[in-house]
Amino acid sequence: MTRPDETDRRILRALQKDGRMQKVELAVQVGLSPSPCLRR
């Protein structure tokens, strides 16, 4: 398993604020497209 990088930490922070947000909204917030965001 790899160590979390800054993008992973942004995803976690966003989900901690709102764990029910839509995947597209999460992707926009962290600066990724939806598919790579969900893979992380």
Side-chain angles (χ1 to χ4, degrees):
M1 181 171 214
T2 60
R3 300 184 117 213
D5 64 4
E6 183 56 34
T7 303
D8 295 325
R9 288 190 285 273
R10 283 187 295 196
I11 291 170
L12 291 172
R13 282 192 296 269
L15 288 172
Q16 284 177 331
K17 289 180 184 177
D18 181 6
R20 303 184 97 197
M21 75 171 57
Q22 303 254 334
K23 59 186 172 192
V24 174
E25 182 183 346
L26 174 62
V28 168
Q29 282 191 21
V30 298
L32 292 173
S33 61
S35 295
C37 185
L38 292 176
R39 279 195 295 268
R40 286 178 164 258

